[in-house]
Amino acid sequence: MSVALRDFLRDMTLLVQPEFDPLHQQQAATGLLRDLVSQSGWLAPEFRAAGESFRQLLLYNDPLDRFSLVAFVWGRTSIESPVHDHGMWGVVGVLEGVEISTEMVPDPAGGPMRPGRKDRVPAGEVMLLGPTYDIHKTANETPGAPAIAIHLYGGNIGSAERRIYEATTSKATIMRSGYDNPVLPNPWAQPVAILP
Ligand SMILES: [Fe+2]
């Protein structure tokens, strides 16, 4: 039973209420995600195992699409993600290894995208994505080494229509990123107990 994940999902569900604006939700969620990625043992081995390429594993999606939690497991041969946007608030947490996020700014004239701020996010730390920092690419600081990022979004990131970009021309293409896993973790699992 993963108490850490169960408690995180409970606390997230309480804060994605309509009376809280998205900025407030993201700020409160940042503290919850930092707490989650500072703990070990809550993510089952099948959601941690590296494949050859990058895996996007849905851990939970709110039934009303108010938030989603996704494990990004870097593959043995993956170098960096395509340039992409999100269209919703996000918090990037790192559970294992180090993830690098590089902001990318499109050229309206169709020239190459320009790198902006660069964030190095080590295990146990978080960084924020939002309206002023929405287009980026990510990389495993040490390609081939184990790295797992836990990303939290203010919507169902896998089903949302968003964009990937061609870095040399700033050309945007609409896409839906989906998820790679057919089953979800069960943080409520526990053994049968005969109670007195
Ligand atoms: Fe991203």
Side-chain angles (χ1 to χ4, degrees):
M1 178 170 60
S2 172
V3 174
L5 180 57
R6 188 196 64 195
D7 289 354
F8 173 86
L9 296 174
R10 179 200 60 208
D11 293 345
M12 274 302 302
T13 303
L14 288 171
L15 77 83
V16 288
Q17 302 301 322
E19 62 265 33
F20 302 133
D21 65 46
L23 185 62
H24 171 90
Q25 291 180 14
Q26 184 184 28
Q27 287 172 346
T30 299
L32 297 179
L33 187 65
R34 182 181 283 113
D35 188 45
L36 185 66
V37 296
S38 70
Q39 300 178 60
S40 59
W42 58 267
L43 187 60
E46 58 268 36
F47 298 96
R48 305 182 64 103
E52 272 310 298
S53 56
F54 192 71
R55 303 167 73 213
Q56 322 185 57
L57 306 177
L58 178 66
L59 303 181
Y60 184 78
N61 184 66
D62 173 68
L64 300 179
D65 283 349
R66 295 170 300 184
F67 72 96
S68 56
L69 185 70
V70 184
F72 289 89
V73 184
W74 284 91
R76 288 183 286 273
T77 60
S78 40
I79 305 296
E80 68 178 16
S81 75
V83 180
H84 59 275
D85 72 1
H86 309 83
M88 59 185 73
W89 65 255
V91 187
V92 173
V94 173
L95 187 63
E96 182 177 1
V98 180
E99 188 165 279
I100 305 294
S101 169
T102 306
E103 180 185 22
M104 298 293 284
V105 182
D107 176 2
M113 300 183 83
R114 180 175 53 79
R117 61 180 269 195
K118 189 169 185 175
D119 292 275
R120 180 181 186 272
V121 192
E125 285 299 326
V126 296
M127 61 153 281
L128 276 61
L129 297 166
T132 60
Y133 181 4
D134 188 42
I135 304 175
H136 75 160
K137 62 180 180 179
T138 57
N140 181 358
E141 184 179 60
T142 309
I148 304 170
I150 306 295
H151 293 202
L152 175 65
Y153 299 99
N156 182 346
I157 193 71
S159 74
E161 287 191 3
R162 50 201 184 103
R163 294 170 185 79
I164 53 174
Y165 294 83
E166 175 60 53
T168 55
T169 62
S170 299
K171 182 177 185 298
T173 304
I174 305 288
M175 64 97 175
R176 193 176 287 126
S177 54
Y179 302 110
D180 294 321
N181 51 320
V183 295
L184 302 182
N186 179 4
W188 296 276
Q190 56 184 301
V192 172
I194 305 300
L195 303 177

